[in-house]
PDB file of all heavy atoms in Angstrom:
ATOM      1  N   VAL A  22       4.742  -0.626 -27.068  1.00 89.00           N
ATOM      2  CA  VAL A  22       4.307   0.230 -26.132  1.00 89.00           C
ATOM      3  C   VAL A  22       4.248  -0.447 -24.783  1.00 89.00           C
ATOM      4  O   VAL A  22       3.588  -1.578 -24.680  1.00 89.00           O
ATOM      5  CB  VAL A  22       3.079   1.037 -26.321  1.00 89.00           C
ATOM      6  CG1 VAL A  22       2.649   1.833 -25.311  1.00 89.00           C
ATOM      7  CG2 VAL A  22       3.175   1.753 -27.596  1.00 89.00           C
ATOM      8  N   GLN A  23       4.862   0.042 -23.752  1.00 93.00           N
ATOM      9  CA  GLN A  23       4.698  -0.463 -22.413  1.00 93.00           C
ATOM     10  C   GLN A  23       3.866   0.378 -21.498  1.00 93.00           C
ATOM     11  O   GLN A  23       4.017   1.651 -21.584  1.00 93.00           O
ATOM     12  CB  GLN A  23       6.149  -0.686 -21.706  1.00 93.00           C
ATOM     13  CG  GLN A  23       6.993  -1.621 -22.417  1.00 93.00           C
ATOM     14  CD  GLN A  23       7.702  -0.986 -23.559  1.00 93.00           C
ATOM     15  OE1 GLN A  23       8.238   0.128 -23.556  1.00 93.00           O
ATOM     16  NE2 GLN A  23       7.840  -1.776 -24.708  1.00 93.00           N
ATOM     17  N   LEU A  24       2.989  -0.258 -20.797  1.00 95.00           N
ATOM     18  CA  LEU A  24       2.102   0.419 -19.829  1.00 95.00           C
ATOM     19  C   LEU A  24       2.240  -0.079 -18.432  1.00 95.00           C
ATOM     20  O   LEU A  24       2.386  -1.204 -18.265  1.00 95.00           O
ATOM     21  CB  LEU A  24       0.559   0.198 -20.354  1.00 95.00           C
ATOM     22  CG  LEU A  24       0.239   0.559 -21.646  1.00 95.00           C
ATOM     23  CD1 LEU A  24      -1.203   0.020 -22.017  1.00 95.00           C
ATOM     24  CD2 LEU A  24       0.382   1.973 -21.879  1.00 95.00           C
ATOM     25  N   VAL A  25       2.456   0.835 -17.505  1.00 95.00           N
ATOM     26  CA  VAL A  25       2.697   0.477 -16.117  1.00 95.00           C
ATOM     27  C   VAL A  25       1.630   1.299 -15.262  1.00 95.00           C
ATOM     28  O   VAL A  25       1.641   2.492 -15.343  1.00 95.00           O
ATOM     29  CB  VAL A  25       4.065   1.000 -15.683  1.00 95.00           C
ATOM     30  CG1 VAL A  25       4.276   0.628 -14.216  1.00 95.00           C
ATOM     31  CG2 VAL A  25       5.153   0.347 -16.602  1.00 95.00           C
ATOM     32  N   GLU A  26       0.864   0.432 -14.600  1.00 96.00           N
ATOM     33  CA  GLU A  26      -0.227   1.046 -13.677  1.00 96.00           C
ATOM     34  C   GLU A  26       0.236   1.037 -12.283  1.00 96.00           C
ATOM     35  O   GLU A  26       1.166   0.251 -11.864  1.00 96.00           O
ATOM     36  CB  GLU A  26      -1.545   0.194 -13.738  1.00 96.00           C
ATOM     37  CG  GLU A  26      -1.936  -0.253 -15.200  1.00 96.00           C
ATOM     38  CD  GLU A  26      -1.588  -1.601 -15.508  1.00 96.00           C
ATOM     39  OE1 GLU A  26      -0.535  -2.135 -15.206  1.00 96.00           O
ATOM     40  OE2 GLU A  26      -2.430  -2.229 -16.268  1.00 96.00           O
ATOM     41  N   SER A  27      -0.316   1.996 -11.525  1.00 96.00           N
ATOM     42  CA  SER A  27      -0.053   1.994 -10.098  1.00 96.00           C
ATOM     43  C   SER A  27      -1.349   2.756  -9.409  1.00 96.00           C
ATOM     44  O   SER A  27      -2.156   3.369 -10.145  1.00 96.00           O
ATOM     45  CB  SER A  27       1.265   2.810  -9.692  1.00 96.00           C
ATOM     46  OG  SER A  27       1.119   4.244 -10.238  1.00 96.00           O
ATOM     47  N   GLY A  28      -1.318   2.589  -8.036  1.00 97.00           N
ATOM     48  CA  GLY A  28      -2.438   3.367  -7.377  1.00 97.00           C
ATOM     49  C   GLY A  28      -3.499   2.524  -6.761  1.00 97.00           C
ATOM     50  O   GLY A  28      -4.326   3.087  -6.067  1.00 97.00           O
ATOM     51  N   GLY A  29      -3.502   1.202  -6.992  1.00 98.00           N
ATOM     52  CA  GLY A  29      -4.557   0.422  -6.414  1.00 98.00           C
ATOM     53  C   GLY A  29      -4.163   0.216  -5.007  1.00 98.00           C
ATOM     54  O   GLY A  29      -3.243   0.541  -4.295  1.00 98.00           O
ATOM     55  N   GLY A  30      -5.251  -0.428  -4.304  1.00 98.00           N
ATOM     56  CA  GLY A  30      -5.088  -0.659  -2.923  1.00 98.00           C
ATOM     57  C   GLY A  30      -6.323  -1.082  -2.282  1.00 98.00           C
ATOM     58  O   GLY A  30      -7.427  -1.439  -2.908  1.00 98.00           O
ATOM     59  N   LEU A  31      -6.447  -1.153  -0.883  1.00 98.00           N
ATOM     60  CA  LEU A  31      -7.500  -1.539  -0.122  1.00 98.00           C
ATOM     61  C   LEU A  31      -8.185  -0.430   0.503  1.00 98.00           C
ATOM     62  O   LEU A  31      -7.474   0.323   1.291  1.00 98.00           O
ATOM     63  CB  LEU A  31      -7.181  -2.718   0.936  1.00 98.00           C
ATOM     64  CG  LEU A  31      -8.236  -2.965   1.923  1.00 98.00           C
ATOM     65  CD1 LEU A  31      -9.390  -3.756   1.271  1.00 98.00           C
ATOM     66  CD2 LEU A  31      -7.524  -3.902   3.043  1.00 98.00           C
ATOM     67  N   VAL A  32      -9.395  -0.040   0.228  1.00 98.00           N
ATOM     68  CA  VAL A  32     -10.205   1.048   0.882  1.00 98.00           C
ATOM     69  C   VAL A  32     -11.527   0.518   1.305  1.00 98.00           C
ATOM     70  O   VAL A  32     -11.938  -0.517   0.956  1.00 98.00           O
ATOM     71  CB  VAL A  32     -10.360   2.182  -0.200  1.00 98.00           C
ATOM     72  CG1 VAL A  32      -9.010   2.698  -0.630  1.00 98.00           C
ATOM     73  CG2 VAL A  32     -11.048   1.586  -1.401  1.00 98.00           C
ATOM     74  N   GLN A  33     -12.162   1.428   2.059  1.00 98.00           N
ATOM     75  CA  GLN A  33     -13.611   1.137   2.467  1.00 98.00           C
ATOM     76  C   GLN A  33     -14.536   1.742   1.534  1.00 98.00           C
ATOM     77  O   GLN A  33     -14.249   2.674   0.766  1.00 98.00           O
ATOM     78  CB  GLN A  33     -13.805   1.730   3.972  1.00 98.00           C
ATOM     79  CG  GLN A  33     -12.984   1.092   4.994  1.00 98.00           C
ATOM     80  CD  GLN A  33     -13.343   1.545   6.308  1.00 98.00           C
ATOM     81  OE1 GLN A  33     -13.811   2.666   6.478  1.00 98.00           O
ATOM     82  NE2 GLN A  33     -13.014   0.772   7.340  1.00 98.00           N
ATOM     83  N   ALA A  34     -15.765   1.264   1.440  1.00 98.00           N
ATOM     84  CA  ALA A  34     -16.834   1.805   0.590  1.00 98.00           C
ATOM     85  C   ALA A  34     -16.994   3.272   0.922  1.00 98.00           C
ATOM     86  O   ALA A  34     -16.949   3.746   2.048  1.00 98.00           O
ATOM     87  CB  ALA A  34     -18.176   0.964   0.850  1.00 98.00           C
ATOM     88  N   GLY A  35     -17.112   4.044  -0.195  1.00 98.00           N
ATOM     89  CA  GLY A  35     -17.084   5.489  -0.124  1.00 98.00           C
ATOM     90  C   GLY A  35     -15.787   6.115  -0.142  1.00 98.00           C
ATOM     91  O   GLY A  35     -15.940   7.415  -0.291  1.00 98.00           O
ATOM     92  N   ASP A  36     -14.749   5.564  -0.026  1.00 98.00           N
ATOM     93  CA  ASP A  36     -13.477   6.086  -0.190  1.00 98.00           C
ATOM     94  C   ASP A  36     -13.053   6.299  -1.674  1.00 98.00           C
ATOM     95  O   ASP A  36     -13.743   5.935  -2.656  1.00 98.00           O
ATOM     96  CB  ASP A  36     -12.354   5.229   0.423  1.00 98.00           C
ATOM     97  CG  ASP A  36     -12.457   5.250   2.030  1.00 98.00           C
ATOM     98  OD1 ASP A  36     -13.266   6.079   2.469  1.00 98.00           O
ATOM     99  OD2 ASP A  36     -11.791   4.497   2.608  1.00 98.00           O
ATOM    100  N   SER A  37     -11.843   6.898  -1.896  1.00 98.00           N
ATOM    101  CA  SER A  37     -11.481   7.146  -3.249  1.00 98.00           C
ATOM    102  C   SER A  37      -9.998   6.661  -3.423  1.00 98.00           C
ATOM    103  O   SER A  37      -9.169   6.516  -2.522  1.00 98.00           O
ATOM    104  CB  SER A  37     -11.374   8.719  -3.355  1.00 98.00           C
ATOM    105  OG  SER A  37     -12.656   9.389  -3.333  1.00 98.00           O
ATOM    106  N   LEU A  38      -9.820   6.407  -4.742  1.00 98.00           N
ATOM    107  CA  LEU A  38      -8.377   5.916  -5.170  1.00 98.00           C
ATOM    108  C   LEU A  38      -8.210   6.679  -6.462  1.00 98.00           C
ATOM    109  O   LEU A  38      -9.060   7.053  -7.294  1.00 98.00           O
ATOM    110  CB  LEU A  38      -8.289   4.491  -5.418  1.00 98.00           C
ATOM    111  CG  LEU A  38      -8.262   3.681  -4.118  1.00 98.00           C
ATOM    112  CD1 LEU A  38      -8.253   2.094  -4.644  1.00 98.00           C
ATOM    113  CD2 LEU A  38      -6.906   3.852  -3.418  1.00 98.00           C
ATOM    114  N   ARG A  39      -6.864   6.954  -6.791  1.00 98.00           N
ATOM    115  CA  ARG A  39      -6.509   7.474  -7.928  1.00 98.00           C
ATOM    116  C   ARG A  39      -5.493   6.523  -8.721  1.00 98.00           C
ATOM    117  O   ARG A  39      -4.350   6.340  -8.257  1.00 98.00           O
ATOM    118  CB  ARG A  39      -5.986   8.876  -7.931  1.00 98.00           C
ATOM    119  CG  ARG A  39      -5.703   9.696  -9.198  1.00 98.00           C
ATOM    120  CD  ARG A  39      -4.962  10.851  -9.095  1.00 98.00           C
ATOM    121  NE  ARG A  39      -5.072  11.731 -10.221  1.00 98.00           N
ATOM    122  CZ  ARG A  39      -4.362  12.810 -10.578  1.00 98.00           C
ATOM    123  NH1 ARG A  39      -3.271  12.930  -9.590  1.00 98.00           N
ATOM    124  NH2 ARG A  39      -4.347  13.425 -11.558  1.00 98.00           N
ATOM    125  N   LEU A  40      -5.915   5.899  -9.865  1.00 98.00           N
ATOM    126  CA  LEU A  40      -5.049   5.019 -10.519  1.00 98.00           C
ATOM    127  C   LEU A  40      -4.224   5.845 -11.568  1.00 98.00           C
ATOM    128  O   LEU A  40      -4.746   6.796 -12.122  1.00 98.00           O
ATOM    129  CB  LEU A  40      -5.754   3.986 -11.105  1.00 98.00           C
ATOM    130  CG  LEU A  40      -6.818   3.176 -10.415  1.00 98.00           C
ATOM    131  CD1 LEU A  40      -7.376   2.033 -11.310  1.00 98.00           C
ATOM    132  CD2 LEU A  40      -6.007   2.474  -9.214  1.00 98.00           C
ATOM    133  N   SER A  41      -2.918   5.460 -11.769  1.00 98.00           N
ATOM    134  CA  SER A  41      -2.147   6.159 -12.865  1.00 98.00           C
ATOM    135  C   SER A  41      -1.691   5.180 -13.772  1.00 98.00           C
ATOM    136  O   SER A  41      -1.387   3.991 -13.464  1.00 98.00           O
ATOM    137  CB  SER A  41      -1.124   6.984 -12.236  1.00 98.00           C
ATOM    138  OG  SER A  41      -0.134   6.093 -11.595  1.00 98.00           O
ATOM    139  N   CYS A  42      -1.349   5.488 -15.124  1.00 96.00           N
ATOM    140  CA  CYS A  42      -0.860   4.648 -15.974  1.00 96.00           C
ATOM    141  C   CYS A  42       0.207   5.469 -16.808  1.00 96.00           C
ATOM    142  O   CYS A  42      -0.145   6.499 -17.490  1.00 96.00           O
ATOM    143  CB  CYS A  42      -1.805   4.008 -16.880  1.00 96.00           C
ATOM    144  SG  CYS A  42      -1.273   3.065 -18.275  1.00 96.00           S
ATOM    145  N   ALA A  43       1.440   4.987 -16.914  1.00 93.00           N
ATOM    146  CA  ALA A  43       2.465   5.649 -17.721  1.00 93.00           C
ATOM    147  C   ALA A  43       2.888   4.845 -18.905  1.00 93.00           C
ATOM    148  O   ALA A  43       3.120   3.706 -18.737  1.00 93.00           O
ATOM    149  CB  ALA A  43       3.633   5.995 -16.837  1.00 93.00           C
ATOM    150  N   ALA A  44       2.847   5.460 -20.010  1.00 91.00           N
ATOM    151  CA  ALA A  44       3.231   4.760 -21.333  1.00 91.00           C
ATOM    152  C   ALA A  44       4.669   5.100 -21.742  1.00 91.00           C
ATOM    153  O   ALA A  44       5.026   6.155 -21.517  1.00 91.00           O
ATOM    154  CB  ALA A  44       2.174   5.086 -22.530  1.00 91.00           C
ATOM    155  N   SER A  45       5.298   4.045 -22.265  1.00 90.00           N
ATOM    156  CA  SER A  45       6.671   4.304 -22.735  1.00 90.00           C
ATOM    157  C   SER A  45       6.906   3.436 -23.955  1.00 90.00           C
ATOM    158  O   SER A  45       6.131   2.568 -24.227  1.00 90.00           O
ATOM    159  CB  SER A  45       7.810   4.088 -21.757  1.00 90.00           C
ATOM    160  OG  SER A  45       7.667   2.725 -21.209  1.00 90.00           O
ATOM    161  N   GLY A  46       8.095   3.756 -24.559  1.00 85.00           N
ATOM    162  CA  GLY A  46       8.322   2.925 -25.777  1.00 85.00           C
ATOM    163  C   GLY A  46       7.997   3.555 -27.084  1.00 85.00           C
ATOM    164  O   GLY A  46       7.990   4.817 -27.153  1.00 85.00           O
ATOM    165  N   ARG A  47       7.609   2.747 -27.930  1.00 76.00           N
ATOM    166  CA  ARG A  47       7.138   3.242 -29.248  1.00 76.00           C
ATOM    167  C   ARG A  47       5.721   3.914 -29.224  1.00 76.00           C
ATOM    168  O   ARG A  47       4.770   3.111 -29.024  1.00 76.00           O
ATOM    169  CB  ARG A  47       7.284   2.154 -30.414  1.00 76.00           C
ATOM    170  CG  ARG A  47       6.894   2.606 -31.718  1.00 76.00           C
ATOM    171  CD  ARG A  47       7.018   1.469 -32.727  1.00 76.00           C
ATOM    172  NE  ARG A  47       6.565   1.834 -34.149  1.00 76.00           N
ATOM    173  CZ  ARG A  47       6.582   1.061 -35.100  1.00 76.00           C
ATOM    174  NH1 ARG A  47       6.922  -0.282 -35.002  1.00 76.00           N
ATOM    175  NH2 ARG A  47       6.163   1.544 -36.337  1.00 76.00           N
ATOM    176  N   THR A  48       5.644   5.226 -29.357  1.00 69.00           N
ATOM    177  CA  THR A  48       4.343   5.824 -29.143  1.00 69.00           C
ATOM    178  C   THR A  48       4.207   6.701 -30.318  1.00 69.00           C
ATOM    179  O   THR A  48       4.999   7.141 -31.075  1.00 69.00           O
ATOM    180  CB  THR A  48       4.430   6.833 -27.932  1.00 69.00           C
ATOM    181  OG1 THR A  48       5.379   7.718 -28.049  1.00 69.00           O
ATOM    182  CG2 THR A  48       4.595   6.006 -26.630  1.00 69.00           C
ATOM    183  N   LEU A  49       2.900   6.780 -30.659  1.00 63.00           N
ATOM    184  CA  LEU A  49       2.321   7.464 -31.818  1.00 63.00           C
ATOM    185  C   LEU A  49       1.307   8.511 -31.486  1.00 63.00           C
ATOM    186  O   LEU A  49       0.777   8.380 -30.411  1.00 63.00           O
ATOM    187  CB  LEU A  49       1.749   6.439 -32.931  1.00 63.00           C
ATOM    188  CG  LEU A  49       2.685   5.343 -33.421  1.00 63.00           C
ATOM    189  CD1 LEU A  49       1.923   4.384 -34.229  1.00 63.00           C
ATOM    190  CD2 LEU A  49       3.700   5.874 -34.217  1.00 63.00           C
ATOM    191  N   SER A  50       1.099   9.375 -32.392  1.00 71.00           N
ATOM    192  CA  SER A  50      -0.009  10.279 -32.216  1.00 71.00           C
ATOM    193  C   SER A  50      -1.376   9.670 -32.431  1.00 71.00           C
ATOM    194  O   SER A  50      -1.392   8.468 -32.809  1.00 71.00           O
ATOM    195  CB  SER A  50       0.130  11.519 -33.040  1.00 71.00           C
ATOM    196  OG  SER A  50       0.165  11.055 -34.412  1.00 71.00           O
ATOM    197  N   ASN A  51      -2.417  10.243 -32.039  1.00 79.00           N
ATOM    198  CA  ASN A  51      -3.765   9.805 -32.177  1.00 79.00           C
ATOM    199  C   ASN A  51      -3.988   8.534 -31.372  1.00 79.00           C
ATOM    200  O   ASN A  51      -4.760   7.604 -31.833  1.00 79.00           O
ATOM    201  CB  ASN A  51      -4.080   9.533 -33.678  1.00 79.00           C
ATOM    202  CG  ASN A  51      -3.922  10.753 -34.498  1.00 79.00           C
ATOM    203  OD1 ASN A  51      -4.323  11.797 -34.247  1.00 79.00           O
ATOM    204  ND2 ASN A  51      -3.416  10.596 -35.709  1.00 79.00           N
TER     205      ASN A  51
END
């Protein structure tokens, strides 16, 4: 399984970020 993250960055205290992670390759249930 391959995992690819994105969404990081530089922000000020009190700000928001949304990280994402997409999985690919051999995936299973559960």
Side-chain angles (χ1 to χ4, degrees):
V22 174
Q23 294 82 44
L24 305 175
V25 180
E26 310 101 324
S27 63
L31 173 63
V32 298
Q33 295 182 339
D36 287 351
S37 297
L38 283 172
R39 192 187 191 200
L40 308 182
S41 65
C42 174
S45 62
R47 183 179 178 181
T48 58
L49 301 173
S50 61
N51 301 320

